[in-house]
Amino acid sequence: MAFDTSFDEGIIRFTFDNNGYNAISPEVLDGLHEVIGCANANDGVKGIILSGQGRIFSSGYELGTFISFRDRDECLTWSKTREALMYDLFTCKKPVVAAINGHAMAAGLIVAMTADYRIAIDNPRIRIGMPEINIGIPLSNSEAEIMKFGLGSDKNYRELLFSGSQISPEVALQKGIVDELVADGQVLLDKAKAKVRSLIDTPGRAFIMLKQVEKRQVAEYIRKSAATFDWNAYADCFFHEAVVAEMKKIKASMK
């Protein structure tokens, strides 16, 4: 399995656990889809905690998937599947807390930005960033909107996405990209559980409607703009010779 799930005190913990880099594969997307559906449909589920195994939260999408695309149709099918998944995670009815235990890069950071609260371990060696521009990969429609919403400002968006720069958890806290820093993994998990409970365990679970109103405008825009997004130009990027070469180079370095 490329991930692990557990259920404790009414909270689902979803842990990325794939190939040492906690990459997001099709299998991981399927697991997330199931967890989101369970949280939305069951009153007994209070919320979701997202975290990673070891010292990495998630390195992003599995590059092997991108390299293996046979044609544009296959690329678009995969892209639209993760487009829908990110939207569903962003709009999940229940609280979603990102427990950032280590490096959060590329799509790993997008996943963190879907969350309602983000807690990171205070370790200067941890890197948080979006290297896509250095590889030559753009963001899809929902991914870009989720990043703009989560990063909180045009300045943060430009600093991370246009430069491909990486920052520490402390800098991320200063920029408002994460909400809280903790000393270690156990405190991280305890804080994440407490945050889920504090958000949902109120009379009438008002959080659910408050979240819906908070994200409604962005959610509606994502749905409407999907029809005009240039999916063909987006898919073409994955077959550009220089982009493919860069992805292969990175993948080889991760062995």
Side-chain angles (χ1 to χ4, degrees), residues 35-37 39-40 47-48 86-96 114 116 207-208 211-212 215:
V35 163
I36 296 164
N40 284 336
I48 300 169
M86 288 295 184
Y87 175 85
D88 290 344
L89 188 56
F90 180 66
T91 59
C92 178
K93 290 167 56 178
K94 303 292 178 58
V96 177
T114 67
D116 305 299
F207 168 86
I208 293 174
K211 177 176 178 176
Q212 182 182 25
K215 295 188 172 182

Side-chain angles (χ1 to χ4, degrees), residues 53-111:
Q53 180 63 37
R55 298 181 179 180
I56 296 177
F57 178 75
S58 173
S59 62
Y61 293 123
E62 198 167 59
L63 290 178
T65 302
F66 293 163
I67 296 169
S68 67
F69 290 144
R70 291 170 294 184
D71 52 41
R72 180 188 283 173
D73 287 342
E74 187 173 357
C75 176
L76 288 177
T77 297
W78 156 246
S79 298
K80 291 180 180 181
T81 296
R82 56 190 174 84
E83 173 88 350
L85 186 282
M86 288 295 184
Y87 175 85
D88 290 344
L89 188 56
F90 180 66
T91 59
C92 178
K93 290 167 56 178
K94 303 292 178 58
V96 177
V97 173
I100 304 171
N101 58 294
H103 305 307
M105 302 295 294
L109 184 55
I110 300 174
V111 167

Side-chain angles (χ1 to χ4, degrees), residues 97-152:
V97 173
I100 304 171
N101 58 294
H103 305 307
M105 302 295 294
L109 184 55
I110 300 174
V111 167
M113 293 300 100
T114 67
D116 305 299
Y117 198 80
R118 303 166 204 125
I119 311 171
I121 292 179
D122 187 10
N123 183 336
R125 294 183 178 180
I126 291 175
R127 299 288 91 186
I128 294 172
M130 294 292 294
E132 276 80 355
I133 195 169
N134 297 325
I135 303 172
I137 300 175
L139 298 188
S140 70
N141 184 56
S142 67
E143 290 170 338
E145 294 303 322
I146 288 167
M147 286 301 295
K148 285 195 287 185
F149 183 91
L151 292 174

